[in-house]
Amino acid sequence: AAFDHRHVFLDPDPDAAASFAERRRLFDLPRSSWADYDTSLISEGGGVHPRSAKSVEVTPQVRAALGLDDDVTALTPADLISAVLRAPVDLLWNGGIGTYVKAGQEPHASIGDRANDAIRVDGAELRCRVVGEGGNLGFSQLGRIEAALAGVRINTDAIDNSAGVDSSDHEVNIKIMLTGLIRDGELTRKQRDELLAAMTDDVAAQVLRHNYEQNVLIGNARHLDTRMVGEHQRLMAALERTGGLDRELEFLPTDAQLAARAREGRGLTSPEFAVLIAYTKLALKDELADARVVDDPWLRRYLHRYFPPALRERFPDAVDEHPLRRQIVVNELANTIVNRGGVTYVQRATDETGTGAAQVARAFVICREIFDVAGLLDRVEALDNRVGTDVQWRMSLELRRLLDRSARWFLKNRPSARGIEEEVDRFAPAVRDHAGDLPDLVGGAERERAGREVAELRAAGVPEELAVRSAMLRYHVSLLDAVELAEQTGEPLPVVLAVSFAVADRLGVDRLHALVGPLPKEDRWDALARSALRDDLHAVRRSLTAAVLTATDREPSAAERMAAWLEENTTAVDRSQRAISSIEELDRPGLAAISVALGYLRTAAVSAP
Protein backbone atom coordinates (compact mmCIF):
# COMPACT_ATOMS: atom_id res chain seq x y z
CA ALA A 1 0.00 0.00 0.00
CA ALA A 2 1.10 3.55 -0.65
CA PHE A 3 -0.33 7.05 -0.85
CA ASP A 4 0.65 10.52 -1.94
CA HIS A 5 -1.33 13.75 -2.28
CA ARG A 6 -3.21 12.41 -5.33
CA HIS A 7 -3.84 8.67 -4.95
CA VAL A 8 -4.07 5.67 -2.65
CA PHE A 9 -2.41 2.55 -4.10
CA LEU A 10 -3.45 -0.91 -2.84
CA ASP A 11 -1.96 -4.26 -3.91
CA PRO A 12 -2.91 -6.79 -1.21
CA ASP A 13 -0.94 -9.78 -2.58
CA PRO A 14 1.74 -8.32 -4.88
CA ASP A 15 4.10 -10.17 -7.17
CA ALA A 16 7.37 -8.84 -5.76
CA ALA A 17 9.43 -9.02 -8.95
CA ALA A 18 6.75 -7.63 -11.27
CA SER A 19 5.71 -4.82 -8.93
CA PHE A 20 9.32 -3.78 -8.34
CA ALA A 21 9.94 -3.57 -12.07
CA GLU A 22 6.80 -1.50 -12.55
CA ARG A 23 7.70 0.90 -9.75
CA ARG A 24 11.15 1.26 -11.31
CA ARG A 25 9.45 2.14 -14.61
CA LEU A 26 7.38 4.82 -12.93
CA PHE A 27 10.41 6.16 -11.09
CA ASP A 28 12.16 6.68 -14.42
CA LEU A 29 9.04 8.13 -16.08
CA PRO A 30 8.98 11.97 -15.82
CA ARG A 31 6.02 13.47 -13.94
CA SER A 32 4.51 10.04 -13.24
CA SER A 33 1.89 9.23 -10.61
CA TRP A 34 0.22 6.06 -9.30
CA ALA A 35 -2.36 6.59 -12.06
CA ASP A 36 0.33 5.51 -14.54
CA TYR A 37 0.72 2.12 -12.84
CA ASP A 38 -0.18 -0.88 -15.02
CA THR A 39 -3.30 -2.06 -13.16
CA SER A 40 -3.09 -5.50 -14.80
CA LEU A 41 -0.17 -6.18 -12.43
CA ILE A 42 -2.23 -5.44 -9.31
CA SER A 43 -3.48 -8.46 -7.38
CA GLU A 44 -7.18 -9.25 -6.89
CA GLY A 45 -9.03 -6.74 -4.77
CA GLY A 46 -6.47 -3.95 -5.18
CA GLY A 47 -6.48 -0.79 -7.23
CA VAL A 48 -5.47 2.85 -7.56
CA HIS A 49 -7.96 5.24 -5.98
CA PRO A 50 -8.02 9.06 -6.30
CA ARG A 51 -8.06 10.93 -3.02
CA SER A 52 -10.81 13.11 -4.46
CA ALA A 53 -13.26 10.17 -4.36
CA LYS A 54 -16.11 10.36 -1.84
CA SER A 55 -15.75 6.71 -0.89
CA VAL A 56 -13.54 3.73 -1.72
CA GLU A 57 -14.80 0.14 -1.73
CA VAL A 58 -12.87 -2.07 0.69
CA THR A 59 -12.57 -5.53 -0.85
CA PRO A 60 -12.13 -8.69 1.26
CA GLN A 61 -8.48 -8.88 0.17
CA VAL A 62 -7.77 -5.29 1.24
CA ARG A 63 -9.75 -5.78 4.45
CA ALA A 64 -7.55 -8.76 5.36
CA ALA A 65 -4.30 -7.04 4.38
CA LEU A 66 -5.10 -3.93 6.43
CA GLY A 67 -6.44 -5.90 9.39
CA LEU A 68 -9.86 -4.23 9.29
CA ASP A 69 -13.06 -5.50 10.90
CA ASP A 70 -15.29 -7.76 8.80
CA ASP A 71 -18.08 -5.16 8.61
CA VAL A 72 -15.86 -2.53 6.94
CA THR A 73 -16.88 -2.45 3.27
CA ALA A 74 -16.11 1.16 2.33
CA LEU A 75 -14.01 4.04 3.63
CA THR A 76 -13.35 7.63 2.74
CA PRO A 77 -9.88 8.18 1.25
CA ALA A 78 -8.77 9.83 4.51
CA ASP A 79 -9.96 6.89 6.61
CA LEU A 80 -8.39 4.47 4.15
CA ILE A 81 -5.01 6.21 4.49
CA SER A 82 -5.31 6.07 8.27
CA ALA A 83 -5.95 2.35 7.95
CA VAL A 84 -2.86 2.01 5.75
CA LEU A 85 -0.79 3.75 8.44
CA ARG A 86 -2.13 1.32 11.07
CA ALA A 87 -1.73 -1.81 8.93
CA PRO A 88 -0.10 -4.94 10.46
CA VAL A 89 3.02 -4.92 8.29
CA ASP A 90 6.78 -5.36 8.59
CA LEU A 91 7.73 -1.86 7.38
CA LEU A 92 6.10 1.55 7.42
CA TRP A 93 8.18 3.85 5.23
CA ASN A 94 7.75 7.61 5.12
CA GLY A 95 9.21 9.20 2.01
CA GLY A 96 7.12 12.31 1.67
CA ILE A 97 6.21 15.64 3.21
CA GLY A 98 3.92 15.96 6.20
CA THR A 99 3.55 14.65 9.75
CA TYR A 100 1.47 11.47 9.83
CA VAL A 101 2.02 10.12 13.35
CA LYS A 102 1.73 11.91 16.70
CA ALA A 103 1.40 10.84 20.33
CA GLY A 104 -1.99 10.28 21.96
CA GLN A 105 -1.33 13.17 24.35
CA GLU A 106 -0.74 15.62 21.49
CA PRO A 107 -3.64 17.53 19.90
CA HIS A 108 -3.53 17.79 16.11
CA ALA A 109 -3.21 21.56 16.43
CA SER A 110 0.18 21.20 18.13
CA ILE A 111 1.65 19.38 15.10
CA GLY A 112 1.45 22.32 12.70
CA ASP A 113 0.35 20.32 9.64
CA ARG A 114 -3.35 20.97 9.17
CA ALA A 115 -3.42 19.30 5.75
CA ASN A 116 -2.92 15.88 7.36
CA ASP A 117 -5.08 16.26 10.47
CA ALA A 118 -7.74 13.97 8.98
CA ILE A 119 -5.39 11.04 8.38
CA ARG A 120 -2.88 11.34 11.23
CA VAL A 121 -2.70 8.45 13.74
CA ASP A 122 -1.13 7.94 17.16
CA GLY A 123 2.14 6.09 17.71
CA ALA A 124 0.47 3.52 19.97
CA GLU A 125 -1.91 2.61 17.12
CA LEU A 126 0.86 1.47 14.77
CA ARG A 127 1.03 -2.26 14.07
CA CYS A 128 4.18 -2.27 11.95
CA ARG A 129 7.40 -3.86 13.18
CA VAL A 130 9.80 -1.23 11.82
CA VAL A 131 9.59 2.41 10.74
CA GLY A 132 11.93 3.97 8.20
CA GLU A 133 11.89 7.75 7.87
CA GLY A 134 13.05 8.70 4.40
CA GLY A 135 11.41 12.10 4.74
CA ASN A 136 11.72 14.66 7.51
CA LEU A 137 9.14 15.28 10.25
CA GLY A 138 6.94 12.30 9.33
CA PHE A 139 6.49 11.65 13.06
CA SER A 140 6.42 13.98 16.01
CA GLN A 141 9.15 13.07 18.49
CA LEU A 142 6.54 12.17 21.10
CA GLY A 143 4.85 10.01 18.47
CA ARG A 144 8.11 8.16 17.87
CA ILE A 145 8.61 7.59 21.60
CA GLU A 146 5.04 6.35 22.00
CA ALA A 147 5.48 3.94 19.08
CA ALA A 148 8.80 2.70 20.48
CA LEU A 149 7.27 2.10 23.91
CA ALA A 150 4.59 0.06 22.12
CA GLY A 151 7.27 -2.18 20.60
CA VAL A 152 7.88 -0.57 17.20
CA ARG A 153 11.50 -0.33 16.04
CA ILE A 154 12.00 3.33 15.17
CA ASN A 155 14.91 5.78 15.32
CA THR A 156 14.49 9.41 14.24
CA ASP A 157 14.46 11.11 10.86
CA ALA A 158 17.89 12.57 11.71
CA ILE A 159 19.37 9.08 12.11
CA ASP A 160 17.57 7.51 9.15
CA ASN A 161 18.54 10.46 6.94
CA SER A 162 22.06 10.93 8.29
CA ALA A 163 23.64 9.71 5.05
CA GLY A 164 22.24 12.72 3.19
CA VAL A 165 23.75 15.19 5.65
CA ASP A 166 27.00 13.19 5.70
CA SER A 167 27.13 13.26 1.88
CA SER A 168 26.85 17.03 1.90
CA ASP A 169 29.62 17.24 4.49
CA HIS A 170 31.91 15.14 2.30
CA GLU A 171 30.97 17.10 -0.79
CA VAL A 172 31.86 20.43 0.78
CA ASN A 173 35.20 19.23 2.15
CA ILE A 174 36.14 17.51 -1.10
CA LYS A 175 35.30 20.63 -3.13
CA ILE A 176 37.37 22.78 -0.78
CA MET A 177 40.32 20.52 -1.45
CA LEU A 178 39.74 20.36 -5.21
CA THR A 179 39.39 24.15 -5.42
CA GLY A 180 42.93 24.45 -4.08
CA LEU A 181 44.20 21.94 -6.63
CA ILE A 182 42.56 23.90 -9.46
CA ARG A 183 44.06 27.12 -8.13
CA ASP A 184 47.51 25.51 -8.07
CA GLY A 185 47.13 24.23 -11.63
CA GLU A 186 47.09 20.53 -10.69
CA LEU A 187 43.55 20.02 -11.99
CA THR A 188 41.32 21.61 -14.59
CA ARG A 189 37.66 22.22 -13.85
CA LYS A 190 36.71 19.46 -16.30
CA GLN A 191 39.06 17.03 -14.54
CA ARG A 192 37.55 18.07 -11.20
CA ASP A 193 34.02 17.33 -12.42
CA GLU A 194 35.08 13.94 -13.79
CA LEU A 195 36.82 13.13 -10.50
CA LEU A 196 33.76 14.11 -8.48
CA ALA A 197 31.56 11.82 -10.57
CA ALA A 198 34.04 8.95 -10.27
CA MET A 199 34.05 9.18 -6.46
CA THR A 200 30.27 8.96 -6.05
CA ASP A 201 30.16 5.29 -5.08
CA ASP A 202 33.08 5.62 -2.66
CA VAL A 203 31.43 8.53 -0.82
CA ALA A 204 28.12 6.65 -0.76
CA ALA A 205 29.84 3.61 0.79
CA GLN A 206 31.50 5.79 3.45
CA VAL A 207 28.36 7.60 4.53
CA LEU A 208 26.25 4.42 4.52
CA ARG A 209 28.93 2.81 6.66
CA HIS A 210 28.58 5.62 9.18
CA ASN A 211 24.81 5.18 9.16
CA TYR A 212 25.27 1.44 9.77
CA GLU A 213 27.54 2.12 12.75
CA GLN A 214 25.00 4.50 14.29
CA ASN A 215 22.30 1.85 14.01
CA VAL A 216 24.61 -0.69 15.67
CA LEU A 217 25.19 1.85 18.44
CA ILE A 218 21.44 2.32 18.98
CA GLY A 219 20.87 -1.43 18.81
CA ASN A 220 23.55 -2.06 21.45
CA ALA A 221 22.09 0.64 23.68
CA ARG A 222 18.61 -0.86 23.29
CA HIS A 223 20.05 -4.31 24.03
CA LEU A 224 21.54 -3.09 27.33
CA ASP A 225 18.36 -1.16 28.11
CA THR A 226 17.68 -1.14 31.86
CA ARG A 227 21.23 -2.13 32.84
CA MET A 228 22.42 1.34 31.83
CA VAL A 229 19.54 3.46 33.12
CA GLY A 230 21.68 4.99 35.86
CA GLU A 231 24.50 5.80 33.44
CA HIS A 232 22.08 7.37 30.94
CA GLN A 233 20.53 9.44 33.71
CA ARG A 234 23.97 10.72 34.75
CA LEU A 235 24.89 11.45 31.13
CA MET A 236 21.76 13.54 30.63
CA ALA A 237 22.47 15.46 33.83
CA ALA A 238 26.03 16.15 32.67
CA LEU A 239 24.85 17.31 29.25
CA GLU A 240 22.32 19.60 30.91
CA ARG A 241 25.17 21.19 32.88
CA THR A 242 27.71 21.54 30.10
CA GLY A 243 26.32 20.37 26.77
CA GLY A 244 23.29 22.61 26.29
CA LEU A 245 20.74 19.79 26.64
CA ASP A 246 17.19 20.78 27.60
CA ARG A 247 15.40 17.55 28.48
CA GLU A 248 11.94 19.09 28.35
CA LEU A 249 12.57 20.62 24.93
CA GLU A 250 13.93 17.32 23.56
CA PHE A 251 11.15 15.22 25.18
CA LEU A 252 13.63 13.20 27.23
CA PRO A 253 12.32 11.61 30.43
CA THR A 254 12.87 13.18 33.82
CA ASP A 255 14.75 11.25 36.50
CA ALA A 256 11.42 10.22 38.04
CA GLN A 257 10.05 9.02 34.70
CA LEU A 258 13.22 7.09 33.98
CA ALA A 259 13.09 5.46 37.41
CA ALA A 260 9.48 4.44 36.77
CA ARG A 261 10.48 2.87 33.46
CA ALA A 262 13.32 1.00 35.14
CA ARG A 263 10.85 -0.50 37.60
CA GLU A 264 8.84 -1.70 34.59
CA GLY A 265 11.96 -3.23 33.04
CA ARG A 266 12.42 -0.52 30.40
CA GLY A 267 14.96 2.20 29.72
CA LEU A 268 15.37 4.83 27.03
CA THR A 269 13.77 4.21 23.65
CA SER A 270 15.66 4.37 20.35
CA PRO A 271 14.29 7.84 19.45
CA GLU A 272 15.51 9.10 22.82
CA PHE A 273 18.90 7.45 22.33
CA ALA A 274 19.16 9.19 18.96
CA VAL A 275 18.82 12.60 20.64
CA LEU A 276 21.33 11.64 23.33
CA ILE A 277 23.82 10.50 20.68
CA ALA A 278 23.64 13.86 18.90
CA TYR A 279 24.27 15.86 22.08
CA THR A 280 27.04 13.50 23.21
CA LYS A 281 28.90 13.82 19.93
CA LEU A 282 28.54 17.60 19.87
CA ALA A 283 29.82 17.90 23.45
CA LEU A 284 32.79 15.63 22.69
CA LYS A 285 33.67 17.58 19.55
CA ASP A 286 33.67 20.78 21.59
CA GLU A 287 36.04 19.23 24.13
CA LEU A 288 38.40 17.90 21.44
CA ALA A 289 38.41 21.04 19.30
CA ASP A 290 41.57 22.51 20.83
CA ALA A 291 43.09 19.31 22.24
CA ARG A 292 46.71 18.43 21.45
CA VAL A 293 45.82 14.81 20.77
CA VAL A 294 44.15 15.88 17.51
CA ASP A 295 47.61 16.80 16.19
CA ASP A 296 49.12 13.39 16.96
CA PRO A 297 50.67 12.07 13.71
CA TRP A 298 48.82 8.77 14.07
CA LEU A 299 45.48 10.54 13.57
CA ARG A 300 46.57 11.51 10.08
CA ARG A 301 45.05 8.12 9.23
CA TYR A 302 41.64 9.36 10.33
CA LEU A 303 42.02 12.38 8.05
CA HIS A 304 43.03 10.27 5.06
CA ARG A 305 40.32 7.66 5.62
CA TYR A 306 37.73 10.43 5.43
CA PHE A 307 38.54 11.06 1.76
CA PRO A 308 37.88 8.59 -1.10
CA PRO A 309 40.88 6.52 -2.30
CA ALA A 310 41.10 8.47 -5.56
CA LEU A 311 41.93 11.63 -3.59
CA ARG A 312 44.13 10.34 -0.79
CA GLU A 313 46.24 8.19 -3.13
CA ARG A 314 46.63 10.79 -5.85
CA PHE A 315 46.89 13.94 -3.72
CA PRO A 316 48.14 12.92 -0.22
CA ASP A 317 49.83 16.27 0.38
CA ALA A 318 46.62 18.15 -0.40
CA VAL A 319 44.80 15.99 2.13
CA ASP A 320 47.43 16.80 4.77
CA GLU A 321 47.11 20.51 4.04
CA HIS A 322 43.32 20.66 3.96
CA PRO A 323 42.17 23.93 5.61
CA LEU A 324 39.70 22.02 7.81
CA ARG A 325 41.93 19.07 8.61
CA ARG A 326 41.68 19.47 12.40
CA GLN A 327 37.91 19.76 12.28
CA ILE A 328 37.68 16.65 10.10
CA VAL A 329 39.87 14.66 12.52
CA VAL A 330 37.80 15.86 15.50
CA ASN A 331 34.59 14.88 13.72
CA GLU A 332 35.87 11.44 12.74
CA LEU A 333 37.37 10.80 16.17
CA ALA A 334 34.21 11.78 18.05
CA ASN A 335 32.01 9.68 15.75
CA THR A 336 34.26 6.63 16.14
CA ILE A 337 34.49 6.90 19.93
CA VAL A 338 30.73 7.25 20.45
CA ASN A 339 29.70 4.79 17.72
CA ARG A 340 32.07 2.08 18.90
CA GLY A 341 32.57 2.86 22.59
CA GLY A 342 28.98 3.73 23.38
CA VAL A 343 27.15 6.88 24.30
CA THR A 344 28.41 6.88 27.92
CA TYR A 345 31.99 5.78 27.13
CA VAL A 346 33.74 9.12 27.66
CA GLN A 347 31.67 10.14 30.68
CA ARG A 348 32.32 6.87 32.51
CA ALA A 349 36.04 6.95 31.71
CA THR A 350 36.46 10.53 32.91
CA ASP A 351 34.43 9.82 36.05
CA GLU A 352 36.41 6.70 36.95
CA THR A 353 39.89 8.00 36.18
CA GLY A 354 39.67 11.74 36.84
CA THR A 355 41.06 12.51 33.38
CA GLY A 356 39.70 14.67 30.58
CA ALA A 357 38.02 13.80 27.30
CA ALA A 358 41.24 14.33 25.31
CA GLN A 359 43.13 11.72 27.36
CA VAL A 360 40.20 9.33 27.01
CA ALA A 361 40.22 9.83 23.24
CA ARG A 362 43.94 9.07 23.11
CA ALA A 363 43.48 5.90 25.18
CA PHE A 364 40.56 4.83 23.00
CA VAL A 365 42.59 5.12 19.80
CA ILE A 366 45.54 3.23 21.32
CA CYS A 367 43.34 0.35 22.50
CA ARG A 368 41.37 0.23 19.27
CA GLU A 369 44.62 -0.27 17.37
CA ILE A 370 46.36 -2.59 19.84
CA PHE A 371 43.47 -5.05 19.92
CA ASP A 372 42.47 -4.64 16.25
CA VAL A 373 38.94 -3.79 17.31
CA ALA A 374 38.04 -2.62 13.80
CA GLY A 375 39.11 -5.94 12.31
CA LEU A 376 37.17 -7.94 14.89
CA LEU A 377 34.06 -5.80 14.36
CA ASP A 378 34.32 -6.40 10.62
CA ARG A 379 34.19 -10.13 11.31
CA VAL A 380 31.20 -9.75 13.64
CA GLU A 381 29.37 -7.61 11.12
CA ALA A 382 30.13 -10.09 8.34
CA LEU A 383 27.68 -12.36 10.18
CA ASP A 384 24.76 -10.08 9.26
CA ASN A 385 21.75 -12.22 8.31
CA ARG A 386 23.72 -15.37 9.19
CA VAL A 387 23.29 -15.22 12.98
CA GLY A 388 20.74 -13.45 15.15
CA THR A 389 21.31 -9.79 15.97
CA ASP A 390 21.28 -10.67 19.66
CA VAL A 391 24.37 -12.82 19.03
CA GLN A 392 26.12 -9.96 17.21
CA TRP A 393 25.21 -7.53 19.99
CA ARG A 394 26.63 -9.96 22.55
CA MET A 395 29.93 -10.11 20.66
CA SER A 396 30.16 -6.38 19.97
CA LEU A 397 29.44 -5.64 23.64
CA GLU A 398 32.40 -7.85 24.59
CA LEU A 399 34.52 -5.63 22.37
CA ARG A 400 33.10 -2.53 24.04
CA ARG A 401 33.92 -4.03 27.44
CA LEU A 402 37.49 -4.57 26.24
CA LEU A 403 37.70 -0.95 25.04
CA ASP A 404 36.34 0.21 28.40
CA ARG A 405 38.75 -1.72 30.59
CA SER A 406 41.86 -1.42 28.46
CA ALA A 407 41.42 2.35 28.07
CA ARG A 408 41.15 2.68 31.84
CA TRP A 409 44.33 0.63 32.16
CA PHE A 410 46.17 3.14 29.97
CA LEU A 411 44.65 6.14 31.72
CA LYS A 412 45.79 4.85 35.11
CA ASN A 413 49.05 3.12 34.22
CA ARG A 414 50.39 5.11 31.27
CA PRO A 415 48.74 8.53 31.41
CA SER A 416 51.69 10.46 29.98
CA ALA A 417 51.69 12.20 26.63
CA ARG A 418 53.56 9.47 24.80
CA GLY A 419 52.69 9.34 21.12
CA ILE A 420 49.97 6.95 19.99
CA GLU A 421 52.33 5.16 17.62
CA GLU A 422 54.85 4.50 20.41
CA GLU A 423 52.20 2.84 22.55
CA VAL A 424 50.77 0.81 19.69
CA ASP A 425 54.23 -0.40 18.68
CA ARG A 426 54.95 -1.42 22.26
CA PHE A 427 51.81 -3.46 22.96
CA ALA A 428 50.29 -4.54 19.63
CA PRO A 429 52.89 -7.24 18.84
CA ALA A 430 52.18 -8.99 22.15
CA VAL A 431 48.45 -9.05 21.43
CA ARG A 432 49.03 -10.23 17.87
CA ASP A 433 51.44 -13.00 18.90
CA HIS A 434 49.90 -14.20 22.17
CA ALA A 435 46.12 -13.58 22.13
CA GLY A 436 45.82 -17.06 20.68
CA ASP A 437 47.54 -18.51 23.78
CA LEU A 438 44.82 -17.36 26.17
CA PRO A 439 42.43 -20.35 25.80
CA ASP A 440 45.20 -22.65 27.09
CA LEU A 441 46.07 -20.32 29.97
CA VAL A 442 42.65 -19.58 31.46
CA GLY A 443 41.89 -22.06 34.20
CA GLY A 444 39.29 -23.25 36.69
CA ALA A 445 35.80 -21.80 36.66
CA GLU A 446 36.80 -19.19 34.08
CA ARG A 447 37.77 -21.90 31.60
CA GLU A 448 34.38 -23.54 32.15
CA ARG A 449 32.60 -20.21 31.64
CA ALA A 450 34.52 -19.53 28.44
CA GLY A 451 33.78 -23.03 27.20
CA ARG A 452 30.06 -22.52 27.71
CA GLU A 453 30.18 -19.21 25.88
CA VAL A 454 32.05 -20.73 22.94
CA ALA A 455 29.52 -23.55 22.75
CA GLU A 456 26.61 -21.09 22.76
CA LEU A 457 28.16 -18.93 20.04
CA ARG A 458 28.97 -21.97 17.91
CA ALA A 459 25.40 -23.25 18.30
CA ALA A 460 24.18 -19.84 17.12
CA GLY A 461 26.24 -20.12 13.93
CA VAL A 462 29.44 -18.23 14.83
CA PRO A 463 32.61 -19.78 13.33
CA GLU A 464 34.77 -21.64 15.86
CA GLU A 465 37.82 -19.36 15.79
CA LEU A 466 35.74 -16.19 16.12
CA ALA A 467 33.66 -17.70 18.92
CA VAL A 468 36.83 -18.54 20.87
CA ARG A 469 38.29 -15.08 20.25
CA SER A 470 35.11 -13.41 21.46
CA ALA A 471 34.97 -15.54 24.61
CA MET A 472 38.59 -14.63 25.39
CA LEU A 473 38.26 -10.85 24.97
CA ARG A 474 37.70 -10.20 28.67
CA TYR A 475 41.17 -11.60 29.41
CA HIS A 476 43.02 -9.46 26.87
CA VAL A 477 43.72 -6.63 29.34
CA SER A 478 46.02 -9.06 31.17
CA LEU A 479 48.33 -8.89 28.14
CA LEU A 480 49.06 -5.24 28.91
CA ASP A 481 50.28 -5.99 32.44
CA ALA A 482 52.26 -8.96 31.14
CA VAL A 483 54.15 -6.80 28.65
CA GLU A 484 55.25 -4.42 31.39
CA LEU A 485 56.15 -7.24 33.79
CA ALA A 486 58.22 -8.97 31.10
CA GLU A 487 60.16 -5.76 30.55
CA GLN A 488 60.67 -5.19 34.28
CA THR A 489 61.70 -8.75 35.20
CA GLY A 490 63.48 -9.79 32.01
CA GLU A 491 61.30 -12.89 31.87
CA PRO A 492 59.97 -14.10 28.48
CA LEU A 493 56.44 -12.87 27.83
CA PRO A 494 54.95 -16.41 27.51
CA VAL A 495 56.33 -17.24 30.96
CA VAL A 496 54.89 -14.06 32.48
CA LEU A 497 51.49 -14.81 30.94
CA ALA A 498 51.51 -18.39 32.20
CA VAL A 499 52.38 -17.31 35.75
CA SER A 500 49.83 -14.45 35.64
CA PHE A 501 46.97 -16.80 34.74
CA ALA A 502 48.14 -19.38 37.28
CA VAL A 503 48.04 -16.65 39.94
CA ALA A 504 44.53 -15.61 38.87
CA ASP A 505 43.29 -19.19 39.12
CA ARG A 506 45.20 -20.61 42.10
CA LEU A 507 44.99 -17.54 44.35
CA GLY A 508 41.33 -16.72 43.75
CA VAL A 509 41.71 -13.45 41.82
CA ASP A 510 39.30 -14.77 39.18
CA ARG A 511 36.84 -15.77 41.90
CA LEU A 512 36.85 -12.25 43.34
CA HIS A 513 36.45 -10.76 39.86
CA ALA A 514 33.32 -12.88 39.44
CA LEU A 515 31.92 -11.39 42.66
CA VAL A 516 32.37 -7.81 41.46
CA GLY A 517 29.93 -8.15 38.53
CA PRO A 518 26.77 -8.61 40.64
CA LEU A 519 27.57 -5.65 42.93
CA PRO A 520 24.90 -2.91 42.80
CA LYS A 521 25.37 0.11 40.56
CA GLU A 522 22.52 2.29 41.69
CA ASP A 523 24.45 5.53 41.45
CA ARG A 524 27.73 7.07 40.38
CA TRP A 525 29.47 6.06 43.59
CA ASP A 526 28.55 2.41 43.13
CA ALA A 527 30.01 2.54 39.63
CA LEU A 528 33.20 4.20 40.88
CA ALA A 529 33.55 1.66 43.68
CA ARG A 530 33.16 -1.27 41.26
CA SER A 531 35.72 0.24 38.92
CA ALA A 532 38.18 0.87 41.76
CA LEU A 533 37.74 -2.70 42.98
CA ARG A 534 38.53 -4.09 39.52
CA ASP A 535 41.60 -1.87 39.33
CA ASP A 536 42.75 -3.13 42.72
CA LEU A 537 42.28 -6.73 41.62
CA HIS A 538 44.40 -6.09 38.51
CA ALA A 539 47.07 -4.44 40.65
CA VAL A 540 47.11 -7.32 43.17
CA ARG A 541 47.30 -9.88 40.38
CA ARG A 542 50.22 -7.98 38.90
CA SER A 543 51.97 -7.79 42.29
CA LEU A 544 51.42 -11.48 42.97
CA THR A 545 52.73 -12.38 39.51
CA ALA A 546 55.83 -10.28 40.09
CA ALA A 547 56.30 -11.92 43.49
CA VAL A 548 56.18 -15.41 42.01
CA LEU A 549 58.54 -14.47 39.16
CA THR A 550 61.15 -12.83 41.40
CA ALA A 551 61.02 -15.44 44.20
CA THR A 552 61.36 -18.59 42.09
CA ASP A 553 63.97 -20.08 39.76
CA ARG A 554 63.50 -19.50 36.04
CA GLU A 555 63.99 -23.05 34.86
CA PRO A 556 60.83 -24.87 36.08
CA SER A 557 57.45 -24.54 34.38
CA ALA A 558 54.92 -21.93 35.45
CA ALA A 559 52.98 -24.56 37.39
CA GLU A 560 56.12 -25.63 39.25
CA ARG A 561 57.04 -22.04 40.07
CA MET A 562 53.52 -21.42 41.32
CA ALA A 563 53.68 -24.52 43.51
CA ALA A 564 57.07 -23.51 44.92
CA TRP A 565 55.83 -20.02 45.78
CA LEU A 566 52.67 -21.36 47.40
CA GLU A 567 54.75 -23.67 49.60
CA GLU A 568 56.80 -20.72 50.84
CA ASN A 569 53.74 -18.55 51.52
CA THR A 570 51.29 -21.04 53.00
CA THR A 571 50.07 -18.92 55.91
CA ALA A 572 49.20 -15.78 53.94
CA VAL A 573 47.71 -17.74 51.06
CA ASP A 574 45.55 -19.93 53.31
CA ARG A 575 44.20 -16.85 55.08
CA SER A 576 43.19 -15.22 51.80
CA GLN A 577 41.61 -18.42 50.44
CA ARG A 578 39.55 -18.92 53.60
CA ALA A 579 38.30 -15.36 53.30
CA ILE A 580 37.32 -15.83 49.65
CA SER A 581 35.54 -19.09 50.42
CA SER A 582 33.62 -17.44 53.28
CA ILE A 583 32.54 -14.59 51.02
CA GLU A 584 31.34 -16.99 48.33
CA GLU A 585 29.01 -18.56 50.89
CA LEU A 586 27.20 -15.25 51.45
CA ASP A 587 23.87 -14.71 49.67
CA ARG A 588 24.89 -11.30 48.33
CA PRO A 589 28.57 -10.51 48.94
CA GLY A 590 29.06 -6.77 49.28
CA LEU A 591 31.84 -4.33 48.64
CA ALA A 592 33.18 -4.50 52.19
CA ALA A 593 33.54 -8.29 52.20
CA ILE A 594 35.28 -8.36 48.83
CA SER A 595 37.59 -5.57 49.94
CA VAL A 596 38.63 -7.57 53.01
CA ALA A 597 39.54 -10.61 50.89
CA LEU A 598 41.41 -8.34 48.52
CA GLY A 599 43.39 -7.02 51.45
CA TYR A 600 44.45 -10.55 52.38
CA LEU A 601 45.60 -11.15 48.81
CA ARG A 602 47.53 -7.89 48.87
CA THR A 603 49.26 -9.04 52.05
CA ALA A 604 50.17 -12.33 50.40
CA ALA A 605 51.83 -10.43 47.57
CA VAL A 606 54.35 -8.85 49.94
CA SER A 607 54.77 -11.62 52.52
CA ALA A 608 57.37 -13.78 50.76
CA PRO A 609 60.49 -14.28 52.91
Side-chain angles (χ1 to χ4, degrees), residues 273-288:
F273 278 125
V275 171
L276 208 51
I277 288 167
Y279 276 93
T280 300
K281 287 184 175 181
L282 288 171
L284 181 55
K285 289 171 189 177
D286 284 345
E287 291 193 70
L288 295 177

Side-chain angles (χ1 to χ4, degrees), residues 541-559:
R541 176 177 176 177
R542 178 170 172 154
S543 297
L544 287 165
T545 303
V548 174
L549 290 170
T550 55
T552 57
D553 295 333
R554 295 193 176 203
E555 293 302 323
S557 66

